[in-house]
Amino acid sequence: MKSVRVPIALQQAVMQTLRQKLQQANLHLKRDFPEPTINYRQRGTTAGSAYIQSWEIRLNSVLLIENRQTFIDEVVPHELAHLLVYRYFGKVPPHGKQWRWMMEEVLDVPANRTHKFEIDSVRSKTFTYYCNCQQHVLTLRRHNKILLGESNYICRKCGEKLIFK
């Protein structure tokens, strides 16, 4: 997938929300959490990811551009909450009670686990394969592995090799 350049004004809006929510958390939790690094290299249909070891948030530039304010209001705090929860509580379930508490009580944002953005523009191409009992949808990566002779895929139900028609 081709990388899309995020306009400076949109990057500034992301940083403004990040800093405001981080300050909110620092005051509420009486801590001084550092500002995480933000990059715009998240791919696929995922809106964002938090990398706790590198204290980094990766955002999907395409979904950000297409959903501007809703993305900033929901995804940025969502990923920040993952980082804060790890530093505050240690290793806990990713969308468990600690994360929900961080989202709702500390950051004052609804604790939604997934986004509802339209994803047609970021969905990767798929290929339909068949066996004796059903059809299977394979990703571009798996399709290419078959074409290059690197892999074969077998139906788990009937045990037959998948065929591209």
Side-chain angles (χ1 to χ4, degrees):
M1 184 171 127
K2 197 169 93 174
S3 177
V4 176
R5 192 173 183 316
V6 177
I8 296 296
L10 200 48
Q11 290 183 36
Q12 290 171 334
V14 166
M15 291 309 295
Q16 181 180 6
T17 297
L18 176 76
R19 289 176 178 141
Q20 187 262 323
K21 292 299 181 184
L22 184 59
Q23 181 181 27
Q24 203 172 316
N26 283 335
L27 290 171
H28 190 278
L29 301 172
K30 297 174 179 48
R31 297 279 178 99
D32 190 23
F33 296 105
E35 185 177 292
T37 303
I38 299 280
N39 80 48
Y40 301 93
R41 292 189 297 252
Q42 181 67 52
R43 296 173 60 171
T45 59
T46 303
S49 297
Y51 290 81
I52 54 179
Q53 301 305 326
S54 58
W55 200 250
E56 174 183 30
I57 294 173
R58 292 186 189 165
L59 301 175
N60 186 314
S61 59
V62 175
L63 293 177
L64 170 60
I65 289 167
E66 291 176 354
N67 302 281
R68 297 176 184 259
Q69 199 57 52
T70 305
F71 189 103
I72 291 169
D73 293 342
E74 296 175 7
V75 178
V76 173
H78 177 116
E79 301 310 332
L80 176 62
H82 284 300
L83 297 177
L84 297 172
V85 164
Y86 182 75
R87 286 273 173 101
Y88 195 72
F89 294 105
K91 189 174 168 111
V92 294
H95 296 107
K97 63 183 179 182
Q98 297 89 346
W99 178 83
R100 287 191 308 274
W101 175 81
M102 187 69 70
M103 287 288 288
E104 293 170 352
E105 298 297 320
V106 178
L107 301 180
D108 195 29
V109 176
N112 298 322
R113 292 183 60 196
T114 59
H115 67 77
K116 293 177 174 61
F117 304 137
E118 180 58 50
I119 58 169
D120 285 343
S121 63
V122 292
R123 184 178 285 144
S124 60
K125 185 165 174 45
T126 59
F127 298 84
T128 304
Y129 278 72
Y130 298 88
C131 64
N132 287 338
C133 68
Q134 63 186 338
Q135 71 179 29
H136 303 265
V137 179
L138 271 60
T139 62
L140 176 61
R141 178 173 287 172
R142 289 187 176 190
H143 175 70
N144 286 339
K145 283 186 169 193
I146 292 170
L147 293 179
L148 293 170
E150 295 175 0
S151 289
N152 285 311
Y153 294 94
I154 308 293
C155 175
R156 290 183 181 175
K157 203 172 188 180
C158 69
E160 291 296 315
K161 180 179 170 182
L162 303 186
I163 305 294
F164 181 61
K165 293 183 182 178

